[in-house]
Amino acid sequence: MSKQADVVSAARMLDGLEKALPHLESMASLESTEEGTGDLLSRLRRSLPVIQKEPEAKGVMVTFRDPTSAQLQSFLAEQAPAANKVDEAEGGGLEAKFDSHDILGWFGSFFTWWRKIKPHAWLPGDAEPAKFPDVARVALMADWGTGMYGAPVCARSIEKDKAGYNLIMHLGDVYYSGTGKEMADRFLNQWPKVAGAMNRGLNGNHEMYTGGQSYFADVLPKFGQKASYFALQSNHWVLGCLDTAYADHDLAGDQAAWLTKIINEAGGRKVVLFSHHQPYSILDSQGPKLVEKLGPLLNAGKIHAWYWGHEHHCVVYKKHAQWGLMGRCIGHSGFPEFRKPEWGGAPTKASWVELKGANGVPDAVVLDGSNPYIKDHETEYGPHGYVSLEFENGKLTEIMQLADGTEVMRNQIA
Ligand SMILES: [Fe+2]
């Protein structure tokens, strides 16, 4: 039996919660319950429309950008196998099959677990960048922490790549809410093992739904990583790796000043940024706090390229008209994301669909195709994949690859 269920359905959560909540609320009003119960109940009540809104295919993983809903998913995924309430999921893996009685029964332990969630202490990073080789290969994955579908396939392709890698980096999000078990099963146990490579993980909003506790306490020590933000520097490049999740879609601590100092002292080196959240997007929300804090660097044309995740598509933007920045969203490494109906039927071969930018966001292309790793739902979901970067002194080549390693785009961006 798996240690936790892989999939927790939104429809089942909604049904269970809608039936269980009135009972829980009447129990809470009758008894002198522990402080915080009312707060959790009202949060769960507020999560109902969020859960309801999320489209899902039967038996395929779905999650929410809502802490309480994602926390409940983690909890249900863990409780269901112990209560023998799991079954094969349609899209692969095991699905939790709980009902409203189970939710009622489990509520006490969910409340105990939930009230202990506190953010992990912020860890200060190194002031100076660490050394990075002039000739180096980097593998990037983002929103990869499902342990399912294309995610393990990406990891095996990275391991098998004959050219090897110097750095393997995840740009954040381990589902549902980055608990210790999820970090072990969906992330650390699946992480690609490449001899000689440095391993790095950035923080994501889903890790922070459990306060980033396991991210900071388990992942960072395992990776030999001091903090959730850091910089690497070769003779030609600065790689600025940011934590945009500790403060949601923002830069916590002194990251903006820290990065500015490093870049001001970088001489003629070009700068590439990596983060979980986006500075801008065509398909998702914008990142005004990031743009404001890094405004002077962006306006001065100091940022050459920026790779981010959070949104589960692969989107390659044209050069930003004002900032000269090349932005790439690469959050397509393992989470099932629906294709858009306006893109038409799924092409048999992965291909690129043009997207029109607006309000200063550049035009882009998005990777479209089917997803062979989501059983019986292949044509509903976009492809999974990862990105390889090849640094060769001042030259930088990016290679977008499908989960099986197939190359779908190659650009020399410097
Ligand atoms: Fe995210």
Side-chain angles (χ1 to χ4, degrees), residues 133-380:
D134 286 329
V135 177
R137 297 186 84 233
V138 178
L140 295 175
M141 300 187 287
D143 304 74
W144 171 79
T146 61
M148 301 175 74
Y149 313 122
V153 187
C154 289
R156 302 297 83 80
S157 298
I158 290 168
E159 285 175 347
K160 280 191 304 209
D161 194 308
K162 288 194 179 64
Y165 288 99
N166 302 77
L167 167 65
I168 303 167
M169 183 150 62
H170 182 233
L171 306 187
D173 269 2
V174 177
Y175 306 95
Y176 295 102
S177 62
T179 64
K181 276 202 170 73
E182 288 166 341
M183 279 298 187
D185 291 352
R186 299 195 197 266
F187 187 80
L188 289 170
N189 294 345
Q190 314 261 355
W191 187 253
K193 293 174 189 69
V194 174
M198 181 195 285
N199 301 303
R200 288 290 178 268
L202 297 183
N203 200 2
N205 51 304
H206 283 267
E207 284 84 327
M208 286 310 295
Y209 294 160
T210 46
Q213 290 290 348
S214 181
Y215 166 73
F216 281 100
D218 302 328
V219 175
L220 297 197
K222 178 107 180 172
F223 282 2
Q225 186 179 330
K226 186 175 170 186
S228 56
Y229 65 100
F230 55 91
L232 304 169
Q233 185 169 283
S234 70
N235 285 310
H236 306 271
W237 293 92
V238 173
L239 283 67
C241 307
L242 304 171
D243 181 340
T244 60
Y246 194 87
D248 189 46
H249 214 148
D250 197 353
L251 290 173
D254 66 347
Q255 289 182 89
W258 162 82
L259 182 70
T260 303
K261 182 171 180 290
I262 287 174
I263 292 176
N264 286 343
E265 292 170 359
R269 291 176 179 89
K270 289 191 168 77
V271 179
V272 188
L273 297 185
F274 302 88
S275 65
H276 181 62
H277 291 89
Q278 66 275 18
Y280 51 76
S281 175
I282 292 177
L283 298 168
D284 202 334
S285 60
Q286 310 306 308
K289 292 174 185 165
L290 300 181
V291 169
E292 191 197 324
K293 288 193 176 160
L294 300 180
L297 295 172
L298 291 165
N299 287 322
K302 299 268 193 189
I303 314 298
H304 189 78
W306 188 338
Y307 294 86
W308 64 80
H310 194 48
E311 186 187 308
H312 306 137
H313 291 291
C314 180
V315 187
V316 178
Y317 289 88
K318 296 254 163 67
K319 195 185 264 197
H320 192 281
Q322 196 189 339
W323 304 331
L325 165 78
M326 280 170 278
R328 278 89 174 93
C329 171
I330 58 162
H332 65 306
S333 300
F335 197 89
E337 185 66 42
F338 283 111
R339 299 176 55 256
K340 302 272 182 199
E342 61 267 30
W343 299 345
T348 46
K349 218 172 148 216
S351 56
W352 297 89
V353 173
E354 291 189 10
L355 299 175
K356 200 90 197 115
N359 304 316
V361 177
D363 293 349
V365 288
V366 60
L367 183 61
D368 187 25
S370 58
N371 193 316
Y373 310 107
I374 306 176
K375 248 182 357 187
D376 300 330
H377 297 277
E378 291 86 351
T379 56
E380 293 162 55

Side-chain angles (χ1 to χ4, degrees), residues 44-112:
L44 285 170
R45 168 99 28 221
R46 285 202 300 274
S47 71
L48 291 177
V50 179
I51 299 171
Q52 192 172 30
K53 221 174 57 205
E54 200 61 44
E56 74 174 339
K58 202 159 172 275
V60 180
M61 185 184 249
V62 70
T63 193
F64 319 97
R65 285 184 189 169
D66 166 58
T68 320
S69 318
Q71 288 154 354
L72 184 62
Q73 276 187 301
S74 291
F75 183 82
L76 294 170
E78 204 171 297
Q79 292 301 309
N84 219 4
K85 300 254 175 181
V86 287
D87 216 341
E88 294 287 327
E90 258 191 42
L94 291 175
E95 184 178 342
K97 300 273 184 179
F98 54 89
D99 57 29
S100 59
H101 291 289
D102 298 321
I103 290 188
L104 276 168
W106 295 336
F107 182 78
S109 47
F110 177 57
F111 175 64
T112 308

